[in-house]
Amino acid sequence: MAGSENQKFCLQEVLDSFQLCLSPNKEVYVEHYVAGWRGLVKFLNSLGSVFGFISKDAVSKIQILVNFLNSENGSQYATVQSMVKFELDNKLVDVDKKGICPESGCRTLLRLHRALRWLELFLECLRTSKEDDKTSVMCREAYNESLAQHHPWVVRKAAGMAFFALPGRPTFFEVMNVGPPEQVVAILGKAVPLISEVYLITEELYLKHNLLDLP
Ligand code: 1Q0
């Protein structure tokens, strides 16, 4: 994946990845899940270095999951469902306290999963926004309602500062690289329910196995 974060972003690619994420029996493919995040990191990188600390964290989490996929146990990481089963059955998850498995697949994916909720809220806001609505406000509101609850003060502060550097809605839509605003809105209309479905399936799975607070 070296260098792939620097290529030009296209919203359609992200949509395709999240579309491929769900198996016929509604399991979540890790490969396509991380591909979706890779696409989003490309977008973030194209917004400038202010967001470097965010994309760096996302890239390192993507890499942890890719390493699992490429490991000898790779097939166990094919779906989020099989990953959860494999790691729990083999005691590869720090269920209570950070310790033996600080970089388990389950805790790593949980961080991206929480960020996916932010993305869902943000994209829905963007989809229904008006021309002069501020992306920074939409982004902050979505963040406060989701990810912020899992971040310490210092990260919340840094994120809050970065949001000020977000470009306005017109530039944002341009960077999405799918055509005129109506087209962006149409694609967002397809992307948001997909992302929401992937989020809900993962949320229910983690809830069922009591994994939503993994350290
Ligand atoms: C467009 C603006 C992007 C704003 C992203 C909002 C999220 C802010 C997150 C701040 C993260 C700060 C870095 C460190 C965080 C970690 O401490 C935390 C916990 O991990 P750990 O190992 O310490 O327990 N990590 C996380 O919470 C994961 C955060 C991942 C954020 C991934 C964001 C990827 C960016 C996506 C750009 C999306 C653009 C949306 C519009 C595109 C249209 C489809």
Side-chain angles (χ1 to χ4, degrees):
M1 67 176 252
S4 63
E5 285 77 27
N6 298 323
Q7 288 158 22
K8 203 163 179 200
F9 173 82
C10 178
L11 179 57
Q12 184 64 48
E13 272 176 39
V14 172
L15 177 64
D16 293 346
S17 295
F18 283 108
Q19 216 144 24
L20 290 170
C21 245
L22 289 179
S23 76
N25 61 343
K26 304 281 180 197
E27 298 207 354
V28 178
Y29 292 120
V30 175
E31 182 192 351
H32 299 296
Y33 193 89
V34 297
W37 278 109
R38 258 187 219 158
L40 291 161
V41 167
K42 258 194 236 174
F43 181 89
L44 198 57
N45 286 344
S46 69
L47 296 182
S49 54
V50 191
F51 302 96
F53 74 105
I54 303 174
S55 85
K56 216 171 138 193
D57 186 69
V59 167
S60 83
K61 290 184 166 53
I62 290 169
Q63 194 57 54
I64 291 171
L65 294 171
V66 168
N67 290 347
F68 280 126
L69 275 174
N70 293 335
S71 71
E72 55 180 328
N73 293 320
S75 61
Q76 312 282 359
Y77 286 82
T79 67
V80 179
Q81 285 73 6
S82 63
M83 173 188 79
V84 165
K85 182 172 183 339
F86 173 71
E87 289 199 340
L88 284 178
D89 286 353
N90 292 281
K91 305 210 176 341
L92 296 170
V93 187
D94 284 334
V95 182
D96 303 313
K97 259 201 312 201
K98 219 171 173 170
I100 315 156
C101 321
E103 295 196 337
S104 66
C106 286
R107 71 85 63 191
T108 303
L109 194 124
L110 175 63
R111 270 54 186 179
L112 295 177
H113 168 68
R114 290 168 176 166
L116 198 64
R117 174 70 180 150
W118 161 79
L119 184 71
E120 178 193 349
L121 294 171
F122 178 55
L123 294 185
E124 178 57 12
C125 247
L126 210 53
R127 186 183 74 80
T128 54
S129 64
K130 292 187 284 307
E131 215 174 311
D132 50 1
D133 283 346
K134 283 200 171 346
T135 50
S136 56
V137 174
M138 296 183 239
C139 190
R140 179 170 312 105
E141 284 177 0
Y143 176 73
N144 288 342
E145 214 181 294
S146 56
L147 261 184
Q149 292 157 27
H150 304 284
H151 287 164
W153 182 85
V154 61
V155 172
R156 291 202 304 269
K157 211 67 197 158
M161 305 269 278
F163 296 158
F164 282 116
L166 281 176
R169 185 177 176 274
T171 309
F172 224 84
F173 275 23
E174 228 168 86
V175 180
M176 288 187 183
N177 200 17
V178 280
E182 309 80 71
Q183 185 67 16
V184 175
V185 170
I187 296 197
L188 286 177
K190 289 188 196 153
V192 174
L194 264 177
I195 290 171
S196 167
E197 191 177 11
V198 171
Y199 176 84
L200 272 178
I201 290 172
T202 312
E203 179 78 5
E204 274 168 22
L205 178 75
Y206 269 60
L207 181 66
K208 186 170 128 201
H209 293 281
N210 204 13
L211 297 173
L212 283 169
D213 292 312
L214 283 183

